[in-house]
Short mmCIF file of all heavy atoms in Angstrom, two decimals:
data_model
loop_
_atom_site.label_atom_id
_atom_site.label_comp_id
_atom_site.label_asym_id
_atom_site.label_seq_id
_atom_site.Cartn_x
_atom_site.Cartn_y
_atom_site.Cartn_z
N SER A 274 98.08 82.40 23.88
CA SER A 274 96.70 82.34 24.34
C SER A 274 95.97 83.61 24.00
O SER A 274 96.41 84.70 24.33
CB SER A 274 96.67 82.12 25.85
OG SER A 274 95.37 82.35 26.31
N TRP A 304 133.97 97.15 33.91
CA TRP A 304 134.94 96.95 34.98
C TRP A 304 135.47 95.53 35.08
O TRP A 304 136.53 95.31 35.66
CB TRP A 304 134.32 97.35 36.34
CG TRP A 304 134.05 98.80 36.45
CD1 TRP A 304 134.37 99.78 35.55
CD2 TRP A 304 133.38 99.46 37.53
NE1 TRP A 304 133.96 101.00 35.98
CE2 TRP A 304 133.34 100.83 37.20
CE3 TRP A 304 132.81 99.04 38.72
CZ2 TRP A 304 132.75 101.77 38.04
CZ3 TRP A 304 132.22 99.97 39.55
CH2 TRP A 304 132.20 101.33 39.21
N ARG A 419 147.38 92.26 46.87
CA ARG A 419 146.38 91.41 47.54
C ARG A 419 146.39 91.62 49.05
O ARG A 419 145.34 91.78 49.69
CB ARG A 419 146.70 89.95 47.20
CG ARG A 419 145.79 89.00 47.85
CD ARG A 419 146.21 87.59 47.56
NE ARG A 419 145.63 86.72 48.55
CZ ARG A 419 145.84 85.42 48.61
NH1 ARG A 419 146.64 84.85 47.75
NH2 ARG A 419 145.27 84.70 49.54
N VAL A 468 152.03 95.81 33.79
CA VAL A 468 152.74 95.75 35.08
C VAL A 468 151.69 95.98 36.18
O VAL A 468 150.93 96.95 36.12
CB VAL A 468 153.81 96.86 35.14
CG1 VAL A 468 154.47 96.92 36.50
CG2 VAL A 468 154.82 96.65 34.03
N ARG A 503 117.52 77.43 40.84
CA ARG A 503 116.63 76.26 40.83
C ARG A 503 115.61 76.30 41.95
O ARG A 503 114.58 75.64 41.88
CB ARG A 503 117.45 74.98 40.90
CG ARG A 503 118.20 74.70 39.62
CD ARG A 503 119.20 73.59 39.78
NE ARG A 503 120.31 73.98 40.62
CZ ARG A 503 121.46 73.32 40.72
NH1 ARG A 503 121.62 72.22 40.02
NH2 ARG A 503 122.43 73.75 41.49
N VAL A 517 114.65 89.11 33.21
CA VAL A 517 115.58 89.31 32.09
C VAL A 517 116.85 88.54 32.47
O VAL A 517 117.54 88.92 33.41
CB VAL A 517 115.92 90.81 31.90
CG1 VAL A 517 116.87 90.99 30.72
CG2 VAL A 517 114.65 91.62 31.71
N GLY A 540 143.19 82.11 46.33
CA GLY A 540 143.32 81.01 47.30
C GLY A 540 142.01 80.28 47.55
O GLY A 540 141.90 79.51 48.50
N GLY A 546 140.99 69.79 40.88
CA GLY A 546 140.08 68.96 41.64
C GLY A 546 139.17 69.75 42.57
O GLY A 546 138.05 69.33 42.88
N LEU A 594 123.33 59.78 22.51
CA LEU A 594 124.61 60.37 22.98
C LEU A 594 125.42 59.34 23.75
O LEU A 594 126.64 59.29 23.63
CB LEU A 594 124.33 61.60 23.85
CG LEU A 594 123.86 62.84 23.10
CD1 LEU A 594 123.36 63.90 24.06
CD2 LEU A 594 125.00 63.40 22.25
#
Side-chain angles (χ1 to χ4, degrees):
S274 167
W304 293 355
R419 178 184 160 183
V468 175
R503 289 169 290 194
V517 181
L594 287 169

